Amino acid sequence: KWLDKIKNPEAALVKKQQGYYNYLHGLMTMQDNMNESEKYFKKAVSLGLSMKHDLAMAKLNLAGIAFSKRRKQEAQK
């Protein structure tokens, strides 16, 4: 609910906040739509996250998505 209240995250949030916005969206959509979730996690990693463990979690989720889509080399990276 709270994430949906932000209509234009690029204008309303600074870069790191946009990273966490995409990270949280990725976590929320992980169960329902892996393709959309992958898009959000990639954007979060590219924007950057403040805490190393959040960045590691985003990369781990990306690896899991890539592995489930049979992209082993991408998952290992």
Side-chain angles (χ1 to χ4, degrees):
K1 276 185 188 181
W2 286 103
L3 291 177
D4 291 336
K5 291 185 181 200
I6 301 172
K7 300 297 181 201
N8 188 3
E10 286 80 20
L13 305 172
V14 296
K15 189 177 175 184
K16 294 281 185 184
Q17 289 174 335
Q18 290 176 33
Y20 276 98
Y21 173 84
N22 287 301
Y23 173 69
L24 291 173
H25 258 292
L27 290 175
M28 300 280 288
T29 59
M30 189 76 172
Q31 294 292 323
D32 301 329
N33 189 348
M34 290 181 83
N35 292 326
E36 189 176 347
S37 181
E38 181 180 19
K39 177 184 75 167
Y40 283 124
F41 282 128
K42 283 185 177 180
K43 193 165 184 182
V45 170
S46 70
L47 288 170
L49 299 170
S50 297
M51 299 195 184
K52 290 181 182 179
H53 62 273
D54 290 334
L55 185 60
M57 189 66 181
K59 288 182 178 181
L60 184 65
N61 282 321
L62 279 172
I65 292 168
F67 195 74
S68 70
K69 291 182 175 181
R70 300 184 190 274
R71 297 186 307 213
K72 186 179 178 185
Q73 289 180 343
E74 184 181 335
Q76 286 177 336
K77 287 180 188 176

